[in-house]
């Protein structure tokens, strides 16, 4: 194209910008330094050697990521094929048994996520949405976070946040 909207660019035949669907895209070796990928769908994308330094990944949906980026923004990491970081959209993510030690999941959407037996030691879940997430058996020692959203969440001890007799519902005191 002769012109693109602000925040958009054409890279390797893909239009890249906020809210783009890059599911299955081959972005191997691409330089996306400071790119605005907020709200993008990167499920099953090939990110081998991609430089994401300073990129905005808020709200990004991922899973099945192929390869490893050469660099990620501060606070982000690749775990079990998912981009993990502040504001990540991890709705229905399968992170069972994942090592999320010290992960920054501030404002992350973990609705319906499978976190059974995940290691969340020292993770930051401030204002994360854990609606219908499964945390059964998760290690939550030294975990931090306020403003969490709980609704029908399976707690580390196997109880349900909605039946724990807390108001509002939570997993505090039930493995958290």
């Amino acid at each position: 194209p002769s012109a693109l909207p602000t925040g958009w660019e054409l890279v390797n035949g893909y239009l890249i910008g906020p809210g783009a669907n890059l599911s299955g895209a081959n972005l191997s070796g691409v330089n996306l330094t400071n790119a605005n990928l907020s709200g993008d769908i990167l499920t099953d994308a090939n990110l081998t050697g991609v430089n994401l330094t300073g990129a905005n990944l808020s709200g990004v949906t991922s899973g099945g990521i192929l390869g490893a980026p050469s660099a990620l923004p501060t606070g982000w990491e690749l775990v079990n094929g998912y981009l993990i970081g502040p504001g990540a959209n991890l709705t229905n993510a399968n992170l069972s048994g994942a090592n999320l030690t010290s992960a920054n999941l501030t404002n992350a959407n973990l609705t319906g996520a499978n976190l059974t037996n995940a290691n969340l030691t020292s993770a930051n879940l401030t204002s994360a949405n854990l609606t219908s997430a499964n945390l059964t058996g998760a290690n939550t020692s030294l975990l931090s976070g306020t403003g969490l959203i709980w609704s029908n969440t399976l707690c580390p001890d196997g109880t349900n946040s909605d039946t724990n007799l807390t108001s509002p519902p939570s997993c505090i005191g039930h493995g958290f």
Side-chain angles (χ1 to χ4, degrees):
S2 61
L4 290 170
T6 301
W8 285 81
E9 55 187 307
L10 180 63
V11 180
N12 280 11
Y14 297 100
L15 284 172
I16 296 176
N21 184 347
L22 297 168
S23 186
N26 182 0
L27 301 172
S28 181
V30 170
N31 183 358
L32 294 175
T33 300
N34 298 320
N36 185 352
L37 303 175
S38 63
D40 282 12
I41 300 171
L42 292 170
T43 306
D44 300 322
N46 182 347
L47 299 183
T48 303
V50 173
N51 185 346
L52 290 166
T53 303
N56 179 351
L57 298 178
S58 179
V60 72
T61 300
S62 61
I65 297 287
L66 305 173
S70 63
L72 288 165
T74 301
W76 286 82
E77 57 187 303
L78 181 67
V79 178
N80 293 9
Y82 291 92
L83 290 169
I84 306 291
N89 183 352
L90 297 165
T91 301
N92 297 319
N94 183 358
L95 293 165
S96 178
N99 184 0
L100 299 170
T101 301
S102 299
N104 184 348
L105 291 165
T106 303
N107 296 312
N109 185 351
L110 293 155
T111 299
N114 180 355
L115 295 161
T116 57
N117 299 312
N119 186 352
L120 292 162
T121 301
S122 299
N124 184 346
L125 290 173
T126 300
S127 299
N129 186 343
L130 294 167
T131 299
S132 298
N134 185 346
L135 296 161
T136 306
N139 181 348
T140 58
S141 63
L142 304 176
L143 181 137
S144 66
T146 58
L148 282 87
I149 299 170
W150 311 91
S151 179
N152 196 38
T153 306
L154 289 179
C155 303
D157 67 0
T159 62
N160 187 301
S161 63
D162 290 1
T163 60
N164 283 339
L165 304 177
T166 59
S167 181
S170 82
C171 288
I172 306 300
H174 293 274
F176 247 74

